[in-house]
Amino acid sequence: MYSINANFLKLQKNYLFADIAHRVNAFKEAHPEANIIRLGIGDVTRPLAPAVIEALHKAVDEQASAETFRGYGPEHGYEFLRQAIADNDFAPRGIDIDIDEIFINDGAKSDTGNFGDILGKDCTVCVTDPIYPVYIDSNVMGGRAGDFDNGAWSRVTYCPCNAENDFVPAIPDHPTDLIYLCYPNNPTGTTLSKAELQKWVEYALRHNSLILYDAAYEAYITRPDVPHSIYEIEGAKRCAVEFHSFSKTAGFTGLRCGYTVVPRELEVDAENGERVQLNQLWNRRQCTKFNGTPYIVQRAAEAVYSPEGKRQVRETIDYYMTNARIMREALAEAGLKTFGGVDAPYIWLQTPGIGSWEFFDRLLNEIHVVSTPGVGFGPSGEGYIRLTAFGRREDCEEAMKRLKSL
Amino acid sequence: MYSINANFLKLQKNYLFADIAHRVNAFKEAHPEANIIRLGIGDVTRPLAPAVIEALHKAVDEQASAETFRGYGPEHGYEFLRQAIADNDFAPRGIDIDIDEIFINDGAKSDTGNFGDILGKDCTVCVTDPIYPVYIDSNVMGGRAGDFDNGAWSRVTYCPCNAENDFVPAIPDHPTDLIYLCYPNNPTGTTLSKAELQKWVEYALRHNSLILYDAAYEAYITRPDVPHSIYEIEGAKRCAVEFHSFSKTAGFTGLRCGYTVVPRELEVDAENGERVQLNQLWNRRQCTKFNGTPYIVQRAAEAVYSPEGKRQVRETIDYYMTNARIMREALAEAGLKTFGGVDAPYIWLQTPGIGSWEFFDRLLNEIHVVSTPGVGFGPSGEGYIRLTAFGRREDCEEAMKRLKSL
């Protein structure tokens, strides 16, 4: 008789977005005339850049002719894209990443989830709190999280991030094995300075921990001293994997492309005494369970690095970040305290002394604005809500006008 | 200190295609003037169908405008595609598949590999031999294969398929948990009749086994009595998952789209006594570790089911199958014995009493044709080579002309 992976039965049902949808629908039914503005979603709304569209059409045409048709590509991605990434995302920052250290994928969610395939199931886990739920859920599936008691997993170390510590997580006072860091952060929109990130790298090197660094929002960084890549920190290549995504950088949420950097220096002693490169393990994993990202999508991603692509993508990011500025300023004028929104498209709003859900309900019922309750991202999110800057300008402005009347 | 998944260290290095490349390159160096014809590859060569190209261009244009832009889609795929699949691949065969039982993916390789995520690691494995290596390697990674001794994994049951048993694998005389069946078969190109497939379903129901049925080549079936789906067999919904792919059906090897059917009837008793639907577990896995197939690719797949798409895709399949016929006939005239190639794009050629590699070398050195040695797919492949019909017509014809001179 076959059996299932019993760890799946431990997973907590995540009702966050279902709960939100339920409350919004109930409100809509009671107030069919209300003009609801959604500032809760983490999805982009601007179309793809013209340079990306042009590259897609061109690549599609190549697939229409036997002479230029491309079938199976390399599992780890075409060289043209890996080279563009190394040349544009790393070399200008003085980071030497070899193209064989770059693995193209169909989005950071897949790789952050799948990376556990190559890791031991006895590893302990460390996360900042609040947190993107995929990091924890994928470790629950992999049998690493332990048991869920009193709202927390027994083998997971939570590092609270809140207004009290200025959203700088304290380094754990005990060794942990797998450390998930996402900066600029989802959901709080806050960042870590190089000095703070350096402390995590030193901790990881001291304890032989692996940092899984999610840099999905790095393109939104505006301040010069905020690191775009963990590899800006000395020693990080020996302790960190880095995940990137074109989803938020270039509006690829529906096009699906990202990449993972697995440096060759990343080595670990296996049980049998063998010294093993994670790069080789990940390559074997990808060659066995993945068949590459669509050729046309990789051409689209390549176009993000063309001069026109860069300019157009920058315009869209500026559009969203102008939304963020408008929202931050209006919220401040309304006497509300916010964090994030300077180097990230997320604004983390401290509720006026009430719970996340209570404030969510007030915003929905009184000014017809949908947010995301912070507590949905973890216990330290209680007392906050997340607003995103990915909406249309006119919706942001209208929402802020209503907010001032609250 | 973090650790790796030590099962990865057990993986056998697969030198098959590296070995082939090495021998071909050595030959090319020694004979730079030789016109080498490659009949070894499993990749398609014909371009995408015009209806697919048109759908791609149209979907790309939608992504260029804010009004029609699509960001994150449903993890399990858009309803328009799942409905087209249910209506075209199943309903006409009298199979009732609900659209919530269909999960769109980026190709069958991902899902056949990833499906193990939701299964117990103590499950035993059963495969036909020769076999597509991903089935075994992904189970080695998952810790289910046991140890590799004398060319076989200790916890894997191998069912030989060869000329002696007419490529009909014998049902194991002992219970096994996870059974991988690929029909029409890669690499042999042979099929199972409904009566033979029925025996596997009965075995699986008797022992509470799970059949992982890979139907990637079903579009190549020409004979009316060969099943296109395991769900044509009574009871299969209670014991089988089915994997489909647009790679070979519609030339999507570089476009990446497939789907997995996980029927609701597929239930298992968990350790805690709970009755669990695999459909729910797989849905949770996909929602956590996958973010959907590109919207434009799903529109391309939808176009495969349009009247023009169907006709055009059929023309390409007919092109490849005409190649297969030409090859089969020529090989027979040359006095060689072949299998497959009637309901599949693969021809399984019995070598004239010599080993797979020896015959591979003869074909390469004497007539400059590249094949794939059957032994590379498993011990029962010894004494065979695989030829594919995915090449250009003129190359197939030229290769056969040379073969007759052998």
Side-chain angles (χ1 to χ4, degrees):
Chain A
M1 190 180 100
Y2 76 96
S3 61
I4 58 158
N5 175 352
N7 294 309
F8 271 71
L9 303 179
K10 293 184 176 184
L11 285 164
Q12 303 303 299
K13 296 224 163 40
N14 190 335
Y15 291 119
L16 178 62
F17 290 98
D19 272 359
I20 293 173
H22 180 76
R23 292 185 196 214
V24 172
N25 288 336
F27 177 81
K28 266 166 86 173
E29 246 171 63
H31 306 85
E33 78 301 340
N35 170 21
I36 295 173
I37 297 176
R38 293 170 191 272
L39 299 182
I41 52 156
D43 198 358
V44 299
T45 56
R46 304 296 302 158
L48 290 175
V52 169
I53 293 291
E54 194 187 322
L56 279 169
H57 279 307
K58 185 162 169 271
V60 168
D61 282 334
E62 287 181 62
Q63 297 294 70
S65 149
E67 286 67 40
T68 49
F69 175 79
R70 307 243 196 165
Y72 289 122
E75 282 92 347
H76 52 303
Y78 281 101
E79 196 170 315
F80 64 76
L81 179 54
R82 289 182 291 128
Q83 193 65 58
I85 289 166
D87 291 347
N88 288 279
D89 287 353
F90 296 101
R93 305 189 201 289
I95 305 166
D96 182 27
I97 295 289
D98 188 81
I99 62 166
D100 289 337
E101 297 175 311
I102 297 170
F103 295 81
I104 310 299
N105 59 35
D106 66 335
K109 189 178 176 190
S110 300
D111 277 12
T112 50
N114 291 332
F115 207 80
D117 276 18
I118 68 167
L119 300 173
K121 73 177 192 44
D122 293 330
C123 294
T124 57
V125 175
C126 174
V127 296
T128 58
D129 168 33
I131 189 197
Y132 178 52
V134 163
Y135 307 146
I136 290 186
D137 284 357
S138 58
N139 278 296
V140 174
M141 293 173 178
R144 295 187 197 93
D147 296 307
F148 194 71
D149 287 318
N150 286 320
W153 292 94
S154 59
R155 300 185 76 247
V156 176
T157 297
Y158 297 82
C159 303
C161 297
N162 49 41
E164 284 70 53
N165 61 15
D166 205 18
F167 296 90
V168 176
I171 307 279
D173 58 7
H174 57 277
T176 58
D177 299 327
L178 308 178
I179 302 160
Y180 288 84
L181 297 178
C182 172
Y183 285 102
N185 186 251
N186 175 16
T188 68
T190 61
T191 57
L192 279 194
S193 67
K194 276 194 190 175
E196 284 300 329
L197 194 51
Q198 175 90 46
K199 290 182 196 168
W200 282 99
V201 169
E202 284 163 10
Y203 168 86
L205 290 173
R206 193 160 61 243
H207 295 294
N208 281 310
S209 319
L210 179 68
I211 297 175
L212 298 113
Y213 195 78
D214 187 344
Y217 298 92
E218 66 83 15
Y220 289 83
I221 292 171
T222 57
R223 290 177 302 174
D225 56 332
V226 175
H228 287 250
S229 164
I230 195 167
Y231 303 122
E232 293 179 38
I233 311 295
E234 178 72 32
K237 280 189 181 177
R238 285 180 285 124
C239 65
V241 169
E242 187 164 281
F243 303 98
H244 284 252
S245 169
F246 294 97
S247 287
K248 305 301 164 65
T249 304
F252 275 39
T253 51
L255 201 54
R256 313 303 318 137
C257 193
Y259 66 89
T260 299
V261 181
V262 190
R264 287 205 185 285
E265 287 94 321
L266 211 47
E267 292 185 328
V268 65
D269 290 318
E271 279 173 29
N272 63 1
E274 214 178 298
R275 191 86 182 144
V276 179
Q277 283 193 354
L278 290 200
N279 184 290
Q280 285 179 3
L281 294 188
W282 184 243
N283 189 46
R284 185 71 193 253
R285 190 271 170 209
Q286 290 298 80
C287 288
T288 302
K289 298 192 187 182
F290 184 58
N291 233 334
T293 304
Y295 169 69
I296 59 174
V297 172
Q298 293 191 58
R299 283 294 184 198
E302 182 192 29
V304 171
Y305 297 106
S306 69
E308 313 75 48
K310 279 181 186 173
R311 189 176 44 72
Q312 293 160 0
V313 159
R314 176 50 51 195
E315 277 171 15
T316 299
I317 291 173
D318 289 346
Y319 176 94
Y320 294 137
M321 290 311 284
T322 302
N323 286 350
R325 182 179 53 72
I326 290 168
M327 291 161 70
R328 278 191 293 110
E329 290 173 359
L331 293 163
E333 279 178 48
L336 291 163
K337 182 126 180 97
T338 66
F339 304 91
V342 176
D343 298 300
Y346 295 124
I347 290 172
W348 196 239
L349 170 59
Q350 196 165 22
T351 66
I354 58 177
S356 293
W357 277 110
E358 199 183 332
F359 195 63
F360 169 91
D361 284 335
R362 271 194 70 188
L363 292 182
L364 177 61
N365 293 317
E366 296 180 23
I367 62 167
H368 314 165
V369 168
V370 181
S371 61
T372 309
V375 68
F377 296 100
S380 297
E382 180 57 286
Y384 299 88
I385 59 160
R386 189 188 75 174
L387 299 176
T388 86
F390 287 130
R392 297 187 306 160
R393 175 70 43 79
E394 50 273 36
D395 289 340
C396 288
E397 287 171 338
E398 169 64 18
M400 292 305 111
K401 210 171 86 186
R402 293 186 198 169
L403 208 128
K404 285 181 191 166
S405 73
L406 192 67
Chain B
M1 191 181 101
Y2 75 96
S3 60
I4 58 157
N5 174 352
N7 294 309
F8 271 72
L9 303 179
K10 292 185 178 184
L11 285 165
Q12 304 302 299
K13 297 226 163 37
N14 191 335
Y15 291 119
L16 178 62
F17 290 99
D19 272 357
I20 292 173
H22 180 76
R23 293 186 194 212
V24 172
N25 288 336
F27 177 80
K28 266 165 86 172
E29 248 172 61
H31 306 86
E33 79 300 341
N35 171 21
I36 295 173
I37 297 176
R38 293 170 192 274
L39 299 182
I41 52 154
D43 198 358
V44 299
T45 56
R46 305 295 303 157
L48 291 175
V52 170
I53 294 290
E54 194 186 324
L56 278 169
H57 280 307
K58 184 160 169 273
V60 168
D61 283 334
E62 287 181 61
Q63 296 295 70
S65 149
E67 286 67 40
T68 50
F69 175 79
R70 304 244 196 167
Y72 290 122
E75 283 91 346
H76 52 304
Y78 281 101
E79 195 170 315
F80 63 75
L81 179 54
R82 289 182 290 128
Q83 193 65 57
I85 289 166
D87 291 349
N88 288 280
D89 287 352
F90 296 101
R93 306 190 201 288
I95 305 166
D96 181 26
I97 295 288
D98 188 81
I99 63 166
D100 288 339
E101 297 175 310
I102 296 170
F103 295 82
I104 309 300
N105 60 34
D106 65 336
K109 188 178 177 191
S110 300
D111 278 13
T112 50
N114 290 332
F115 207 80
D117 276 16
I118 68 168
L119 300 173
K121 73 174 192 44
D122 293 329
C123 294
T124 57
V125 175
C126 174
V127 296
T128 57
D129 168 33
I131 187 195
Y132 177 51
V134 162
Y135 308 146
I136 290 186
D137 284 357
S138 58
N139 278 297
V140 174
M141 292 174 179
R144 295 187 196 92
D147 296 307
F148 193 71
D149 288 317
N150 287 319
W153 292 93
S154 59
R155 301 185 76 247
V156 175
T157 298
Y158 297 82
C159 304
C161 297
N162 50 39
E164 285 69 53
N165 62 14
D166 205 19
F167 297 90
V168 176
I171 306 280
D173 58 6
H174 57 278
T176 59
D177 298 328
L178 309 179
I179 302 160
Y180 288 84
L181 297 177
C182 172
Y183 286 102
N185 187 253
N186 174 17
T188 68
T190 60
T191 57
L192 280 193
S193 67
K194 277 194 190 176
E196 284 300 329
L197 195 51
Q198 174 90 47
K199 290 183 195 167
W200 283 99
V201 169
E202 284 164 9
Y203 167 88
L205 290 174
R206 194 159 62 242
H207 295 292
N208 281 310
S209 319
L210 179 68
I211 296 176
L212 296 113
Y213 195 78
D214 187 345
Y217 298 93
E218 65 85 14
Y220 289 82
I221 292 170
T222 57
R223 290 177 300 174
D225 56 332
V226 175
H228 286 252
S229 164
I230 195 168
Y231 304 121
E232 293 179 38
I233 310 296
E234 178 73 29
K237 280 189 184 180
R238 284 180 286 125
C239 65
V241 168
E242 186 163 282
F243 303 99
H244 284 252
S245 170
F246 294 97
S247 287
K248 305 302 163 67
T249 304
F252 276 38
T253 51
L255 201 54
R256 314 302 319 138
C257 193
Y259 66 89
T260 299
V261 180
V262 189
R264 287 206 185 285
E265 286 95 321
L266 211 46
E267 292 185 328
V268 65
D269 290 319
E271 278 172 28
N272 63 2
E274 213 178 301
R275 190 87 182 145
V276 178
Q277 282 193 355
L278 289 201
N279 184 290
Q280 285 179 2
L281 293 188
W282 183 243
N283 188 47
R284 186 70 192 254
R285 191 271 171 209
Q286 290 299 80
C287 287
T288 302
K289 299 192 185 182
F290 184 59
N291 234 335
T293 304
Y295 169 69
I296 60 174
V297 172
Q298 293 190 60
R299 283 294 185 198
E302 182 192 30
V304 171
Y305 297 105
S306 69
E308 313 75 48
K310 279 182 188 173
R311 189 176 43 72
Q312 293 160 359
V313 157
R314 176 50 50 196
E315 277 171 16
T316 299
I317 291 172
D318 289 346
Y319 176 94
Y320 294 136
M321 290 309 285
T322 302
N323 285 350
R325 183 180 52 71
I326 290 167
M327 291 161 70
R328 279 192 291 110
E329 289 173 0
L331 292 163
E333 278 178 47
L336 291 163
K337 182 124 181 98
T338 66
F339 303 91
V342 175
D343 298 300
Y346 295 124
I347 292 172
W348 196 239
L349 170 59
Q350 196 164 22
T351 66
I354 59 177
S356 292
W357 277 112
E358 198 183 335
F359 195 62
F360 170 91
D361 284 335
R362 271 194 68 187
L363 292 183
L364 177 61
N365 294 319
E366 295 179 25
I367 62 166
H368 315 164
V369 167
V370 181
S371 61
T372 309
V375 69
F377 296 101
S380 297
E382 181 56 287
Y384 298 88
I385 59 160
R386 188 189 76 173
L387 298 175
T388 85
F390 286 129
R392 296 188 307 159
R393 176 70 43 80
E394 50 272 38
D395 289 339
C396 288
E397 286 172 339
E398 169 63 19
M400 292 305 111
K401 210 172 86 187
R402 294 185 198 168
L403 207 128
K404 285 182 192 166
S405 73
L406 192 67

Coordinates of all heavy atoms in Angstrom, one line a residue, chain A residues 2-52:
Chain A
Y2 N 0.6 2.2 -0.9 CA 1.4 3.4 -1.0 C 1.0 4.3 0.1 O -0.1 4.2 0.7 CB 1.4 4.0 -2.3 CG 0.1 4.8 -2.7 CD1 0.0 6.2 -2.5 CD2 -1.0 4.1 -3.2 CE1 -1.1 6.9 -2.9 CE2 -2.1 4.8 -3.6 CZ -2.2 6.2 -3.4 OH -3.3 6.9 -3.7
S3 N 1.8 5.2 0.5 CA 1.5 6.2 1.6 C 1.8 7.6 1.1 O 2.4 7.8 0.0 CB 2.4 5.9 2.8 OG 3.8 6.0 2.4
I4 N 1.3 8.6 1.8 CA 1.6 10.0 1.5 C 2.6 10.5 2.4 O 3.0 9.9 3.4 CB 0.3 10.8 1.6 CG1 -0.3 10.8 3.0 CG2 -0.7 10.4 0.5 CD1 -1.2 11.9 3.4
N5 N 3.2 11.7 2.0 CA 4.1 12.4 2.8 C 3.3 13.0 3.9 O 2.5 14.0 3.7 CB 4.7 13.5 1.9 CG 5.6 14.4 2.7 OD1 5.7 14.4 4.0 ND2 6.3 15.3 2.0
A6 N 3.4 12.4 5.1 CA 2.5 12.8 6.2 C 2.8 14.2 6.7 O 1.9 14.8 7.4 CB 2.7 11.8 7.4
N7 N 3.9 14.8 6.3 CA 4.1 16.2 6.7 C 3.1 17.2 6.2 O 2.8 18.2 6.7 CB 5.5 16.7 6.2 CG 6.6 15.9 6.9 OD1 6.7 15.8 8.1 ND2 7.5 15.3 6.1
F8 N 2.5 16.8 5.0 CA 1.4 17.6 4.4 C 0.2 17.8 5.4 O -0.5 18.8 5.3 CB 1.0 17.0 3.1 CG 1.8 17.5 1.9 CD1 3.1 17.1 1.7 CD2 1.2 18.4 1.0 CE1 3.8 17.5 0.6 CE2 2.0 18.9 -0.1 CZ 3.2 18.5 -0.3
L9 N 0.0 16.8 6.2 CA -1.1 16.8 7.1 C -0.9 17.8 8.2 O -1.8 18.3 8.9 CB -1.5 15.5 7.7 CG -1.7 14.4 6.6 CD1 -2.0 13.1 7.3 CD2 -2.9 14.8 5.8
K10 N 0.4 18.2 8.5 CA 0.7 19.2 9.5 C 0.5 20.6 9.0 O 0.4 21.5 9.9 CB 2.2 19.0 9.9 CG 2.6 17.8 10.5 CD 4.1 17.9 10.9 CE 4.5 16.7 11.7 NZ 5.9 16.8 12.2
L11 N 0.4 20.8 7.7 CA 0.3 22.2 7.2 C -0.9 22.9 7.8 O -2.0 22.3 7.8 CB 0.2 22.1 5.7 CG 1.5 21.8 4.9 CD1 1.1 21.5 3.4 CD2 2.4 23.0 4.9
Q12 N -0.7 24.1 8.2 CA -1.8 24.9 8.6 C -2.6 25.4 7.4 O -2.0 25.8 6.5 CB -1.3 26.1 9.5 CG -0.5 25.6 10.7 CD -1.2 24.6 11.6 OE1 -2.3 25.0 12.1 NE2 -0.7 23.4 11.7
K13 N -3.9 25.4 7.5 CA -4.6 26.0 6.4 C -4.4 27.5 6.4 O -4.5 28.1 7.5 CB -6.1 25.7 6.6 CG -6.4 24.2 6.5 CD -7.6 23.8 5.6 CE -7.6 22.4 5.2 NZ -7.2 21.4 6.3
N14 N -4.1 28.0 5.3 CA -3.9 29.5 5.2 C -5.1 30.1 4.7 O -5.5 30.1 3.5 CB -2.7 29.8 4.3 CG -2.3 31.3 4.4 OD1 -3.1 32.1 4.8 ND2 -1.1 31.6 4.1
Y15 N -5.8 30.8 5.6 CA -7.1 31.3 5.3 C -7.0 32.8 4.9 O -8.0 33.5 4.7 CB -8.1 31.2 6.4 CG -8.5 29.8 6.7 CD1 -8.3 29.1 7.9 CD2 -9.2 29.1 5.7 CE1 -8.7 27.8 8.1 CE2 -9.6 27.8 5.9 CZ -9.4 27.1 7.1 OH -9.8 25.9 7.3
L16 N -5.8 33.4 5.0 CA -5.6 34.8 4.8 C -6.4 35.4 3.7 O -7.3 36.2 3.8 CB -4.1 35.2 4.8 CG -3.8 36.7 4.6 CD1 -4.3 37.5 5.7 CD2 -2.3 36.9 4.4
F17 N -6.0 35.0 2.4 CA -6.6 35.6 1.3 C -8.1 35.1 1.1 O -8.9 35.9 0.5 CB -5.7 35.4 0.0 CG -4.5 36.2 0.1 CD1 -3.3 35.6 0.6 CD2 -4.5 37.5 -0.1 CE1 -2.1 36.4 0.7 CE2 -3.3 38.3 0.0 CZ -2.1 37.7 0.4
A18 N -8.4 33.9 1.5 CA -9.8 33.4 1.5 C -10.6 34.3 2.4 O -11.7 34.7 2.1 CB -9.8 32.0 1.9
D19 N -10.1 34.6 3.6 CA -10.8 35.4 4.6 C -11.0 36.8 4.0 O -12.1 37.4 4.2 CB -10.0 35.5 5.9 CG -10.3 34.4 6.9 OD1 -11.2 33.6 6.5 OD2 -9.7 34.4 7.9
I20 N -10.0 37.3 3.4 CA -10.1 38.7 2.8 C -11.2 38.7 1.8 O -12.1 39.5 1.8 CB -8.8 39.1 2.2 CG1 -7.7 39.3 3.3 CG2 -9.0 40.4 1.4 CD1 -6.3 39.6 2.8
A21 N -11.2 37.7 0.9 CA -12.1 37.6 -0.2 C -13.6 37.5 0.4 O -14.5 38.1 -0.1 CB -11.8 36.4 -1.1
H22 N -13.7 36.7 1.4 CA -15.0 36.5 2.0 C -15.5 37.8 2.6 O -16.7 38.2 2.3 CB -14.8 35.5 3.2 CG -16.1 35.2 3.9 ND1 -17.1 34.4 3.4 CD2 -16.6 35.6 5.1 CE1 -18.1 34.3 4.2 NE2 -17.8 35.0 5.3
R23 N -14.7 38.6 3.3 CA -15.2 39.8 3.9 C -15.5 40.8 2.8 O -16.5 41.6 2.9 CB -14.1 40.4 4.8 CG -14.0 39.5 6.1 CD -13.0 40.1 7.1 NE -12.6 39.1 8.1 CZ -12.4 39.4 9.3 NH1 -12.5 40.6 9.8 NH2 -12.0 38.4 10.2
V24 N -14.6 40.9 1.7 CA -14.9 41.8 0.6 C -16.2 41.5 -0.1 O -17.0 42.4 -0.4 CB -13.7 41.8 -0.4 CG1 -14.0 42.7 -1.6 CG2 -12.4 42.4 0.3
N25 N -16.4 40.2 -0.3 CA -17.6 39.8 -1.0 C -18.9 40.1 -0.2 O -19.9 40.6 -0.8 CB -17.6 38.3 -1.4 CG -16.6 38.0 -2.5 OD1 -16.3 38.9 -3.3 ND2 -16.1 36.8 -2.6
A26 N -18.8 39.9 1.1 CA -19.9 40.2 1.9 C -20.2 41.7 1.9 O -21.4 42.1 1.8 CB -19.6 39.7 3.4
F27 N -19.2 42.5 1.9 CA -19.3 43.9 1.9 C -20.0 44.3 0.5 O -20.9 45.2 0.5 CB -18.0 44.6 2.1 CG -18.1 46.1 2.0 CD1 -18.6 46.9 3.1 CD2 -17.8 46.8 0.8 CE1 -18.7 48.3 3.0 CE2 -17.9 48.2 0.7 CZ -18.4 48.9 1.8
K28 N -19.5 43.7 -0.5 CA -20.0 44.1 -1.9 C -21.5 43.7 -2.0 O -22.2 44.5 -2.6 CB -19.2 43.3 -3.0 CG -18.1 44.0 -3.5 CD -17.1 43.1 -4.3 CE -17.6 42.9 -5.8 NZ -16.5 42.2 -6.5
E29 N -21.9 42.6 -1.4 CA -23.3 42.2 -1.5 C -24.1 43.2 -0.8 O -25.2 43.6 -1.2 CB -23.4 40.8 -0.9 CG -23.9 39.8 -1.9 CD -23.8 38.4 -1.4 OE1 -24.6 38.1 -0.4 OE2 -23.0 37.6 -1.9
A30 N -23.6 43.7 0.4 CA -24.4 44.6 1.2 C -24.4 46.0 0.6 O -25.3 46.8 0.8 CB -23.9 44.7 2.6
H31 N -23.3 46.3 -0.2 CA -23.1 47.7 -0.7 C -22.7 47.6 -2.2 O -21.6 47.9 -2.6 CB -22.1 48.5 0.0 CG -22.3 48.5 1.5 ND1 -21.9 47.5 2.4 CD2 -23.0 49.5 2.3 CE1 -22.3 47.9 3.6 NE2 -22.9 49.0 3.6
P32 N -23.6 47.1 -3.0 CA -23.3 46.9 -4.4 C -22.8 48.1 -5.2 O -22.1 48.0 -6.2 CB -24.6 46.3 -5.1 CG -25.7 46.7 -4.1 CD -25.1 46.8 -2.7
E33 N -23.2 49.3 -4.6 CA -22.8 50.5 -5.3 C -21.4 51.0 -5.0 O -20.9 51.9 -5.6 CB -23.9 51.6 -5.0 CG -23.7 52.3 -3.6 CD -23.8 51.3 -2.4 OE1 -24.3 50.2 -2.6 OE2 -23.3 51.7 -1.3
A34 N -20.8 50.4 -3.9 CA -19.5 50.9 -3.4 C -18.4 50.7 -4.5 O -18.3 49.7 -5.1 CB -19.1 50.2 -2.1
N35 N -17.5 51.7 -4.6 CA -16.4 51.6 -5.5 C -15.2 51.2 -4.7 O -14.5 52.0 -4.0 CB -16.1 53.0 -6.1 CG -14.8 53.0 -6.9 OD1 -14.3 52.0 -7.2 ND2 -14.3 54.2 -7.1
I36 N -14.9 49.9 -4.7 CA -13.9 49.3 -3.8 C -12.5 49.4 -4.5 O -12.4 49.1 -5.7 CB -14.2 47.8 -3.6 CG1 -15.5 47.7 -2.7 CG2 -13.1 47.1 -2.9 CD1 -16.0 46.3 -2.6
I37 N -11.6 49.9 -3.7 CA -10.2 50.0 -4.3 C -9.3 49.0 -3.6 O -9.3 48.9 -2.3 CB -9.6 51.4 -4.0 CG1 -10.5 52.4 -4.8 CG2 -8.2 51.5 -4.5 CD1 -10.0 53.9 -4.6
R38 N -8.6 48.2 -4.3 CA -7.8 47.1 -3.8 C -6.3 47.5 -3.7 O -5.7 47.6 -4.7 CB -8.0 45.8 -4.7 CG -9.4 45.3 -4.6 CD -9.6 44.2 -5.7 NE -11.0 43.9 -5.8 CZ -11.6 42.9 -5.0 NH1 -10.9 42.3 -4.1 NH2 -12.9 42.7 -5.2
L39 N -5.9 47.7 -2.5 CA -4.5 47.9 -2.3 C -3.8 46.8 -1.5 O -2.8 46.9 -0.9 CB -4.3 49.3 -1.5 CG -4.8 50.5 -2.2 CD1 -4.5 51.8 -1.3 CD2 -4.2 50.7 -3.6
G40 N -4.5 45.6 -1.6 CA -4.0 44.5 -0.8 C -3.2 43.6 -1.7 O -2.3 42.9 -1.2
I41 N -3.4 43.5 -3.0 CA -2.8 42.5 -3.8 C -1.3 42.8 -4.1 O -0.9 44.0 -4.1 CB -3.5 42.5 -5.2 CG1 -3.5 43.9 -5.8 CG2 -4.8 41.8 -5.1 CD1 -3.6 43.8 -7.3
G42 N -0.5 41.8 -4.2 CA 0.9 41.9 -4.5 C 1.2 41.7 -6.0 O 2.3 41.4 -6.3
D43 N 0.2 41.9 -6.8 CA 0.4 41.7 -8.2 C 0.6 43.0 -8.9 O -0.1 44.0 -8.5 CB -0.7 40.9 -8.9 CG -0.4 40.3 -10.2 OD1 0.8 40.5 -10.7 OD2 -1.2 39.6 -10.8
V44 N 1.4 43.0 -10.0 CA 1.6 44.3 -10.7 C 0.3 44.5 -11.6 O -0.5 43.7 -11.9 CB 2.8 44.2 -11.6 CG1 4.1 44.0 -10.7 CG2 2.7 43.0 -12.6
T45 N 0.2 45.8 -12.1 CA -0.9 46.2 -13.0 C -0.5 46.8 -14.3 O -1.3 46.9 -15.2 CB -1.8 47.2 -12.2 OG1 -1.0 48.3 -11.8 CG2 -2.5 46.5 -11.0
R46 N 0.8 47.3 -14.3 CA 1.3 47.9 -15.6 C 1.6 46.8 -16.6 O 2.0 45.7 -16.3 CB 2.5 48.7 -15.3 CG 2.4 49.8 -14.2 CD 1.4 50.9 -14.6 NE 1.7 51.5 -15.8 CZ 0.8 52.2 -16.6 NH1 -0.5 52.3 -16.2 NH2 1.1 52.8 -17.7
P47 N 1.4 47.1 -17.9 CA 1.7 46.1 -18.9 C 3.2 45.9 -19.1 O 4.0 46.6 -18.5 CB 1.1 46.7 -20.2 CG 1.1 48.2 -19.9 CD 0.8 48.4 -18.5
L48 N 3.5 44.9 -19.8 CA 5.0 44.6 -20.1 C 5.6 45.7 -20.9 O 4.9 46.4 -21.7 CB 5.1 43.3 -20.9 CG 4.8 42.0 -20.1 CD1 4.8 40.8 -21.1 CD2 5.7 41.8 -19.0
A49 N 6.9 45.9 -20.8 CA 7.6 47.0 -21.5 C 7.6 46.7 -23.0 O 7.6 45.6 -23.4 CB 9.0 47.1 -20.9
P50 N 7.5 47.8 -23.8 CA 7.5 47.6 -25.3 C 8.7 46.8 -25.7 O 8.6 46.0 -26.6 CB 7.6 49.1 -25.8 CG 6.9 49.9 -24.7 CD 7.3 49.2 -23.4
A51 N 9.9 47.0 -25.1 CA 11.1 46.2 -25.5 C 10.9 44.7 -25.3 O 11.3 43.8 -26.1 CB 12.3 46.7 -24.8
V52 N 10.2 44.4 -24.2 CA 9.9 43.0 -23.9 C 8.8 42.4 -24.8 O 9.0 41.3 -25.3 CB 9.4 42.9 -22.4 CG1 8.8 41.5 -22.1 CG2 10.5 43.3 -21.4

